[in-house]
Amino acid sequence: MIIDFAEWISMKDWRSDKKGAALLASPAKSFASTVLDKLWKRVTRGGNLVDLDDEARHQLRITAKKLRYAAEFFSPLCMGKAETKRHKRFITAMEGLQDQLGSLNDLATAPDMLSKLALSGVPAAGDLVSAADKGTLLNATAEADDTFVDAKRFWR
């Protein structure tokens, strides 16, 4: 996202068109809020995480990562005491959600990885892809998602 943003700033003719001129005149915090709101909505409208398939959860994980990077990038715009506290809670909730989504992704990709490495027949390999682990991880991910949704958006 940061590379795309830098390219957009340096190469696009955003300053010369009407929309770009309006954007240039608007406060940076307003722009940041718009970007963060869009990403937040994409993460929170993912639906019930337990019902999503592995690929949909992986896509959600990617979007959550973009939101976290954007939240960290724009954090200097929110320097008030209350905003700083909310930012810290928000990032902590994001980290928890990302960790759980990452664990689920690891579980989903493990069988293919073991197969590619010709390790599927190793006795301990079955422990890496246990269905019981998936249920536990799904519950933990749902809890992390609830914590994330309940975290106040620091930019608002």
Side-chain angles (χ1 to χ4, degrees):
M1 182 181 98
I2 293 172
I3 293 171
D4 291 341
F5 182 63
E7 179 184 349
W8 176 76
I9 285 174
S10 64
M11 301 184 77
K12 302 293 182 187
D13 59 352
W14 60 275
R15 296 178 201 181
S16 60
D17 66 9
K18 290 180 183 179
K19 187 177 178 184
L23 183 61
L24 186 59
S26 70
K29 192 170 181 178
S30 175
F31 172 76
S33 293
T34 301
V35 169
L36 292 168
D37 278 337
K38 285 180 183 178
L39 289 168
W40 187 85
K41 286 176 185 173
R42 286 179 55 200
V43 172
T44 57
R45 73 174 154 174
N48 184 352
L49 292 175
V50 175
D51 295 335
L52 295 178
D53 63 19
D54 292 335
E55 181 58 31
R57 273 193 298 274
H58 178 63
Q59 291 305 315
L60 180 64
R61 177 178 176 241
I62 292 169
T63 304
K65 188 180 288 192
K66 288 178 184 180
L67 173 58
R68 181 173 165 202
Y69 289 160
E72 289 173 345
F73 178 77
F74 290 124
S75 67
L77 298 174
C78 304
M79 298 294 287
K81 189 175 181 179
E83 290 172 324
T84 301
K85 280 184 173 181
R86 285 196 317 255
H87 179 265
K88 184 174 178 161
R89 285 187 207 118
F90 184 84
I91 293 298
T92 300
M94 284 288 327
E95 288 171 348
L97 179 60
Q98 281 184 274
D99 287 347
Q100 295 302 326
L101 288 169
S103 295
L104 280 168
N105 189 60
D106 291 347
L107 188 66
T109 58
D112 189 43
M113 184 61 67
L114 290 170
S115 177
K116 286 180 181 177
L117 296 172
L119 296 172
S120 298
V122 175
D127 295 339
L128 294 174
V129 293
S130 169
D133 289 343
K134 186 170 186 176
T136 302
L137 283 173
L138 283 170
N139 289 335
T141 305
E143 288 179 26
D145 186 50
D146 290 343
T147 301
F148 165 70
V149 170
D150 291 343
K152 291 184 179 179
R153 292 177 276 176
F154 68 94
W155 62 93
R156 289 282 167 204

